Amino acid sequence: MRTVNRHTLLGHVGNIIKLKNVLKVNIATNRESQADGERKTATDWAQVTILDRKQAAWIEENVGPGDLVYVESRVSNSSYERDGEQVYTTDVIAQLFNLLAKKPF
């Protein structure tokens, strides 16, 4: 049986962090709920890792804070040891990154 590891985001770019070999893009998504007859909005943040160097270069040149983006990605879990303790991480690795709209000024 075939399996799927896909994470889809449609949200606004918060900030872009350039590291040695990768680019990290923080993306904000909103969700609404209703409690006691009152609508509430909450923001969730996802940090997306861009491994493809061409894609990272394009994002650095064309994407900025507030821009609306669509991202398809996979989720990857890993662990490493720090100060004698095991640290577990979950990474969102971009496979498709599309700029949908620039932030209006």
Side-chain angles (χ1 to χ4, degrees), residues 27-79:
I27 299 175
T29 57
N30 296 326
R31 58 186 158 85
E32 291 185 3
S33 62
Q34 191 166 349
D36 301 325
E38 188 177 325
R39 279 195 109 108
K40 295 183 179 183
T41 301
T43 301
D44 293 315
W45 288 91
Q47 187 174 72
V48 177
T49 301
I50 313 297
L51 297 176
D52 182 276
R53 290 184 185 197
K54 286 183 182 180
Q55 188 177 43
W58 184 89
I59 291 168
E60 281 187 287
E61 291 177 18
N62 297 290
V63 178
D67 291 348
L68 181 65
V69 295
Y70 173 83
V71 179
E72 286 184 8
S73 56
R74 64 181 169 84
V75 177
S76 176
N77 297 306
S78 60
S79 65

Side-chain angles (χ1 to χ4, degrees), residues 72-89:
E72 286 184 8
S73 56
R74 64 181 169 84
V75 177
S76 176
N77 297 306
S78 60
S79 65
Y80 60 93
E81 192 171 309
R82 180 175 58 196
D83 299 331
E85 290 189 37
Q86 200 70 14
V87 177
Y88 298 93
T89 65

Side-chain angles (χ1 to χ4, degrees), residues 83-102:
D83 299 331
E85 290 189 37
Q86 200 70 14
V87 177
Y88 298 93
T89 65
T90 300
D91 296 310
V92 178
I93 311 296
Q95 296 175 304
L96 173 70
F97 194 104
N98 285 330
L99 174 62
L100 299 181
K102 296 293 283 177

